[in-house]
Amino acid sequence: MATGRNSQGLPWALPLGPTWVLWRHIYCHGELLHQVQMARLYPDDKQFVDMPLSTAPDQVLQSFAELAATYNNTVPREQLEKFVQEHFQAVGQELESWTPGDWKESPQFLQKISDPKLRAWAEQLHLLWKKLGKKIKPEVLSQPERFSLIYSQHPFIVPGGRFVEFYYWDSYWVMEGLLLSEMAETVKGMLQNFLDLVTAYGHIPNGGRVYYLQRSQPPLLTLMMDRYVAHTGDLAFLRENIETLALELDFWAENRTISVSSGGNSYTLNRYHVPYGGPRPESYSKDTELAHTLPEGSWETLWAELKAGAESGWDFSSRWLVGSPNPDSLGSIRTSKLVPVDLNAFLCQAEELLSGFYSRLGNESQATKYRNLRAQRIAALTALLWDEDKGAWFDYDLENQKKNHEFYPSNLTPLWAGCFSDPAIADKALQYLQDSQILNHRHGIPTSLQNTGQQWDFPNAWAPLQDLVIRGLAKSPSARTQEVAFQLAQNWIRTNFDVYSQRSAMYEKYDISNAQPGGGGEYEVQEGFGWTNGVALMLLDRYGDRLSSGTQLALLEPHCLAAALLLSFLTR
């Protein structure tokens, strides 16, 4: 076994040598992957790259080479279908359902929920953890070259739907929900899986598949550890793993850093950046088709920017198209040319938490190091991303040397992350939301105000983005701003509850124009759903004594919402 990086930028954690090379030629790139995906044997490209091999990879590739030679390197669709049936297993064979051993009836937070309908619904959400539990079979450990799934020792909770493996940033909100469900052992196991990945690869991949190894996702590992330790007091676990937390931050410092000059000063911040080309294996045909709308010389750049967009978690959004010559086309994506507010807020928070961890463990030199890094980052956020006139932070366009003033909930992430010093900032953020007319939306906070057909744009709303805004506003000492946070929570809970009442399902995203499951993007909306359940439980826990399953706000005209919020405060 070894760790490191090969010439393609893929970290090693499997046996090096011929087996590793052949394995990559099936799941990550190569002629077999190209012909199968471009033949569109399946409605979703992800299906093929999730299929385990029936035999060793060298045998699969040898058989395919012989087949390709028979047909002058262009294998007919019917023969490709037959080949896949003979050499691959059905999706999901390497996973088994798992019921968490620490699941129990009636966790205490349920008693906080006054509305009986919401309490019954919360009980159903608590039950969903049983349906979303997965455990990896031992053959993935003994024969890793036959699987695209990355082995994890401990069982875990998945998002749901097509996402049957772990995903990095999803797991933070899942863990918040699990801790409310008093499932700390499940959380510890998931944390250990992530820590093992950092040890093996130097970072946490986007998700639990080998084809995700070139990219990560928003860095929330240190926050996950903080929530677990706060819940359990398990300092021994923290002490054992604190250097691994630091190692993950090193990955972002060494591989995703950019220097920006402004006003005669130089600032260091981070961006999403995946410097490796090739189509994403799980979206191979779409990426290839998109490339063919552009000059061939720009294909590798396009594919690298698509991977960076996937690393952001916002795959895809007008946020990554702004400033391009054709901002309506995904072919103009330029993720790495923007310094994102949320990424830098997440890292700022991680630096603060890591400083606190080291201090608790008696290592003041390391505590000081991360305290200073946080201070430097806040100074950079203030100098480059903060706009005093608008009362929010904004992504910085490196090429055009200006802020992107479009609305995204991520603009308020530093508030959620505690990366600010002025206590009045939360109230300025409220004014920003009013000025942007975000409070007029009755069913949730939109992901943007641009309707592009991408899933991280209007009219979709996503659970983690609701959390960023609601808990950010709730930090305000102002009763009015706190009241707006509650009303936004009420709107989101009602949307989730109403859709669940109609469909008996939770979804990854919602269409706030009609309070229905969301749409757009590269695949159909998925049920489950890990982070949506987690955020719903968090809001039910925080506001359970006040939340209602009724429909009084739904009777308001949109333009009346802001006034209603103020009236609600004045009449309390």
Side-chain angles (χ1 to χ4, degrees):
M1 299 291 286
T3 59
R5 291 183 181 273
N6 62 19
S7 59
Q8 281 73 43
L10 287 167
W12 292 318
L14 294 174
L16 306 184
T19 299
W20 168 265
V21 173
L22 295 175
W23 163 88
R24 286 193 289 110
H25 274 275
I26 295 172
Y27 290 120
C28 298
H29 56 77
E31 192 61 24
L32 169 57
L33 177 67
H34 178 78
Q35 292 210 31
V36 170
Q37 296 291 48
M38 296 312 296
R40 297 174 187 80
L41 300 187
Y42 307 100
D44 186 346
D45 284 354
K46 189 176 187 299
Q47 183 169 343
F48 173 65
V49 290
D50 287 358
M51 297 170 71
L53 302 180
S54 299
T55 57
D58 56 342
Q59 297 175 19
V60 173
L61 287 170
Q62 178 62 34
S63 297
F64 182 75
E66 294 169 0
L67 179 66
T70 302
Y71 292 97
N72 196 26
N73 294 320
T74 304
V75 182
R77 178 188 177 90
E78 183 179 343
Q79 296 303 316
L80 283 172
E81 288 176 338
K82 184 178 179 182
F83 180 86
V84 171
Q85 289 171 3
E86 290 178 356
H87 293 88
F88 291 80
Q89 301 175 32
V91 167
Q93 297 297 305
E94 71 276 54
L95 287 156
E96 56 189 10
S97 296
W98 170 72
T99 299
D102 54 353
W103 189 94
K104 64 180 182 181
E105 300 278 356
S106 303
Q108 288 185 340
F109 85 92
L110 292 172
Q111 305 311 311
K112 297 182 180 181
I113 304 171
S114 299
D115 186 305
K117 291 183 179 179
L118 291 182
R119 192 184 315 118
W121 175 52
E123 291 173 353
Q124 293 299 308
L125 300 186
H126 175 59
L127 270 171
L128 285 175
W129 300 132
K130 289 185 174 184
K131 295 185 178 180
L132 296 173
K134 297 291 181 183
K135 183 177 181 180
I136 298 179
K137 294 180 179 178
E139 48 263 41
V140 180
L141 178 62
S142 61
Q143 294 181 307
E145 70 278 2
R146 294 192 180 196
F147 302 90
S148 67
L149 191 70
I150 299 172
Y151 182 76
S152 293
Q153 180 180 355
H154 301 281
F156 46 86
I157 303 297
V158 301
R162 76 197 281 264
F163 305 113
V164 298
E165 56 284 290
F166 74 76
Y167 283 80
Y168 181 7
W169 79 314
D170 293 60
S171 296
Y172 162 67
W173 285 277
V174 168
M175 289 181 187
E176 287 277 19
L178 290 171
L179 290 173
L180 287 171
S181 291
E182 301 172 27
M183 298 169 63
E185 280 303 306
T186 296
V187 170
K188 184 176 184 179
M190 293 173 67
L191 259 175
Q192 188 63 65
N193 289 341
F194 285 143
L195 293 161
D196 290 345
L197 288 164
V198 175
T199 300
Y201 300 109
H203 72 287
I204 299 173
N206 181 149
R209 298 280 176 178
V210 295
Y211 52 75
Y212 288 140
L213 283 169
Q214 287 182 335
R215 62 188 194 249
S216 187
Q217 263 194 336
L220 296 173
L221 178 63
T222 304
L223 180 58
M224 295 175 191
M225 177 67 83
D226 175 70
R227 302 312 303 137
Y228 169 75
V229 172
H231 186 87
T232 64
D234 190 353
L235 285 180
F237 187 66
L238 172 62
R239 186 176 291 105
E240 291 168 9
N241 294 290
I242 190 164
E243 295 304 321
T244 307
L245 299 178
L247 183 62
E248 196 221 3
L249 292 193
D250 289 346
F251 166 81
W252 291 90
E254 294 167 7
N255 299 284
R256 303 293 189 263
T257 293
I258 189 79
S259 293
V260 186
S261 296
S262 176
N265 297 310
S266 181
Y267 300 96
T268 299
L269 286 168
N270 291 78
R271 60 176 173 162
Y272 296 110
H273 177 56
V274 182
Y276 308 112
R280 292 168 297 150
E282 77 282 6
S283 299
Y284 193 99
S285 64
K286 293 182 178 67
D287 287 5
T288 302
E289 288 176 347
L290 183 62
H292 279 87
T293 67
L294 303 173
E296 186 172 351
S298 63
W299 290 2
E300 295 297 330
T301 298
L302 167 69
W303 290 329
E305 293 292 355
L306 289 169
K307 290 176 181 178
E311 182 171 77
S312 78
W314 289 53
D315 42 341
F316 292 105
S317 170
S318 60
R319 186 181 174 195
W320 310 130
L321 307 176
V322 152
S324 68
N326 186 5
D328 295 324
S329 169
L330 186 58
S332 297
I333 189 168
R334 51 195 298 272
T335 316
S336 70
K337 305 302 187 294
L338 296 155
V339 177
V341 172
D342 46 0
L343 171 59
N344 286 282
F346 293 144
L347 289 168
C348 176
Q349 181 185 55
E351 287 157 353
E352 179 181 27
L353 292 172
L354 205 52
S355 175
F357 289 161
Y358 274 118
S359 185
R360 290 176 73 178
L361 298 176
N363 190 335
E364 284 305 322
S365 63
Q366 286 293 90
T368 300
K369 169 187 171 181
Y370 285 100
R371 192 178 305 118
N372 291 340
L373 286 172
R374 175 181 183 267
Q376 293 166 18
R377 192 178 298 275
I378 289 179
L381 285 167
T382 302
L384 291 170
L385 309 186
W386 172 253
D387 188 313
E388 180 66 28
D389 293 335
K390 294 185 178 293
W393 297 263
F394 297 93
D395 297 343
Y396 184 80
D397 188 323
L398 293 164
E399 288 186 333
N400 297 313
Q401 297 185 336
K402 64 180 182 179
K403 299 178 182 72
N404 170 17
H405 281 118
E406 293 291 333
F407 169 79
Y408 313 102
S410 54
N411 293 345
L412 298 183
T413 311
L415 191 59
W416 175 89
C419 287
F420 61 95
S421 53
D422 178 3
I425 278 183
D427 298 328
K428 294 176 182 178
L430 173 58
Q431 187 62 49
Y432 167 67
L433 293 173
Q434 291 176 321
D435 292 344
S436 304
Q437 300 187 351
I438 300 307
L439 302 183
N440 294 351
H441 295 279
R442 296 176 292 170
H443 302 301
I445 301 161
T447 307
S448 79
L449 297 178
Q450 306 298 314
N451 193 341
T452 63
Q454 299 299 332
Q455 63 171 347
W456 288 83
D457 273 319
F458 188 87
N460 284 343
W462 296 77
L465 304 186
Q466 313 302 305
D467 180 49
L468 295 182
V469 175
I470 292 167
R471 279 203 286 164
L473 293 178
K475 292 178 184 288
S476 170
S478 158
R480 178 170 179 259
T481 304
Q482 291 179 25
E483 181 65 20
V484 172
F486 164 71
Q487 293 290 353
L488 292 171
Q490 174 68 83
N491 290 353
W492 184 249
I493 285 295
R494 192 162 294 144
T495 295
N496 284 197
F497 174 76
D498 288 348
V499 173
Y500 189 90
S501 299
Q502 298 163 17
R503 297 170 176 257
S504 298
M506 297 290 284
Y507 292 88
E508 62 170 342
K509 56 184 179 274
Y510 292 83
D511 181 337
I512 60 167
S513 69
N514 58 16
Q516 291 297 319
E522 298 181 303
Y523 55 83
E524 296 299 316
V525 65
Q526 300 296 298
E527 293 183 13
F529 196 84
W531 64 12
T532 311
N533 306 349
V535 170
L537 294 182
M538 292 169 71
L539 296 177
L540 289 165
D541 176 65
R542 177 183 280 264
Y543 298 115
D545 59 333
R546 298 181 61 198
L547 289 169
S548 167
S549 60
T551 57
Q552 58 266 35
L553 268 184
L555 300 176
L556 292 172
E557 291 299 317
H559 65 273
C560 297
L561 178 54
L565 298 179
L566 179 57
L567 179 62
S568 172
F569 166 63
L570 292 174
T571 56
R572 283 172 59 78

